[in-house]
């Protein structure tokens, strides 16, 4: 007989707000409307990013910064609940919540540095832009390594057949986190950083050059 999922509404470690938001406060009775509403909020209009640097920075902030923190927070709540409920399951990715907390802390720190220092520096130009970009790229690489660990731990976000609703929703969130972070860092490195370094370099050369 297929084992019945454990009730998660009685687990004190779980964030009840996050579980209710995703309609899985009781794995045996999914609130479909809450689940569908939350899934709809994950959808975004993926139009081409702006070409102007200032508008691109605004797009990155509006599209990724707050949304990512919220999704990672919900994933941590679901992982905490699931780890309590499924600790005896050999297929449960033990330590997943710790990895997600590590990603959240790294992302929050990274975003704070971008907002306070890096984005203003890139938009203003100047010789410090190149060093700021190198620092951001190193942080991107570290966050990507954490994402790779979650990808491996979850077996490519593929939940096993016996997984409950919370477990499956958790993997959807983990996949969303992975996709959004990689797309944000791609936009920054290939669009914003390269453009800012090029414009900064051209400005420095032109300001010191003597033209015939």
């Amino acid at each position: 007989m297929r084992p019945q999922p454990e009730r998660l509404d009685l687990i004190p470690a779980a964030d009840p707000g996050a579980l209710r938001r995703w309609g899985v406060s009781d794995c045996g009775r999914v609130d479909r409307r809450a689940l569908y509403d939350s899934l709809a909020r994950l959808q975004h209009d993926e139009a081409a990013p702006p070409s102007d640097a200032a508008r691109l920075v605004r797009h990155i902030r509006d599209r990724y910064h707050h949304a990512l923190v919220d999704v990672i927070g919900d994933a941590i709540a679901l992982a905490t609940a699931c780890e309590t409920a499924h600790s005896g399951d050999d297929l449960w990715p033990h330590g997943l919540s710790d990895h997600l907390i590590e990603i959240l802390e790294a992302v929050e720190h990274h975003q704070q540095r971008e907002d306070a220092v890096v984005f203003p520096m890139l938009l203003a130009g100047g010789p410090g832009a190149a060093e700021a970009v190198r620092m951001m790229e190193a942080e991107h690489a570290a966050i990507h390594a954490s994402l790779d660990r979650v990808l491996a731990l979850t077996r490519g976000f593929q939940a096993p057949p016996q997984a409950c609703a919370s477990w499956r929703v958790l993997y959807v969130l983990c996949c969303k986190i992975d996709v959004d972070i990689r797309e944000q860092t791609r936009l920054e490195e290939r669009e914003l950083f390269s453009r800012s370094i090029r414009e900064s370099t051209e400005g420095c050369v032109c300001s010191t050059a003597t033209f015939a």
Side-chain angles (χ1 to χ4, degrees):
M1 179 180 294
R2 184 176 176 178
Q4 293 298 312
E6 298 185 39
R7 290 177 60 91
L8 298 186
D9 54 341
L10 302 179
I11 298 173
D15 175 1
L19 298 181
R20 284 194 300 270
R21 187 159 49 249
W22 288 95
V24 291
S25 56
D26 181 348
C27 271
R29 189 176 63 253
V30 177
D31 183 339
R32 292 180 180 273
R33 173 169 292 187
L35 175 60
Y36 293 160
D37 286 347
S38 290
L39 288 173
R41 285 193 291 271
L42 295 183
Q43 304 300 314
H44 297 277
D45 179 15
E46 301 296 353
S51 57
D52 175 73
R55 292 175 58 207
L56 180 56
V57 165
R58 192 178 311 116
H59 168 75
I60 290 171
R61 283 172 168 158
D62 294 345
R63 166 64 180 83
Y64 295 102
H65 277 200
H66 296 301
L68 265 172
V69 169
D70 290 344
V71 173
I72 300 171
D74 281 357
I76 291 170
L78 287 170
T80 300
C82 287
E83 283 181 351
T84 303
H86 303 293
S87 59
D89 193 320
D90 291 339
L91 294 179
W92 170 253
H94 295 283
L96 178 58
S97 62
D98 291 335
H99 287 294
L100 291 171
I101 290 170
E102 177 183 303
I103 290 173
L104 178 60
E105 291 175 346
V107 165
E108 287 184 320
H109 176 78
H110 184 75
Q111 290 179 354
Q112 290 167 3
R113 193 191 300 271
E114 284 183 331
D115 287 339
V117 179
V118 178
F119 287 163
M121 182 180 294
L122 293 179
L123 293 177
E131 180 61 31
V133 165
R134 283 192 291 271
M135 178 177 62
M136 289 294 97
E137 289 177 338
E139 291 185 7
H140 287 175
I143 294 173
H144 284 191
S146 295
L147 292 175
D148 289 341
R149 288 192 289 272
V150 170
L151 181 65
L153 200 59
T154 59
R155 298 175 173 85
F157 314 121
Q158 297 297 312
Q162 77 274 20
C164 68
S166 293
W167 192 337
R168 294 177 185 277
V169 171
L170 170 61
Y171 278 16
V172 171
L173 296 186
C174 287
C175 182
K176 176 66 171 175
I177 292 164
D178 185 276
V179 169
D180 277 6
I181 290 179
R182 293 186 193 276
E183 176 59 16
Q184 179 190 341
T185 56
R186 185 197 70 80
L187 274 177
E188 291 178 352
E189 293 183 4
R190 297 188 183 181
E191 301 292 337
L192 180 61
F193 292 171
S194 60
R195 183 186 311 161
S196 298
I197 291 300
R198 183 177 64 253
E199 292 175 353
S200 174
T201 302
E202 290 173 353
C204 290
V205 170
C206 292
S207 66
T208 58
T210 301
F211 296 96

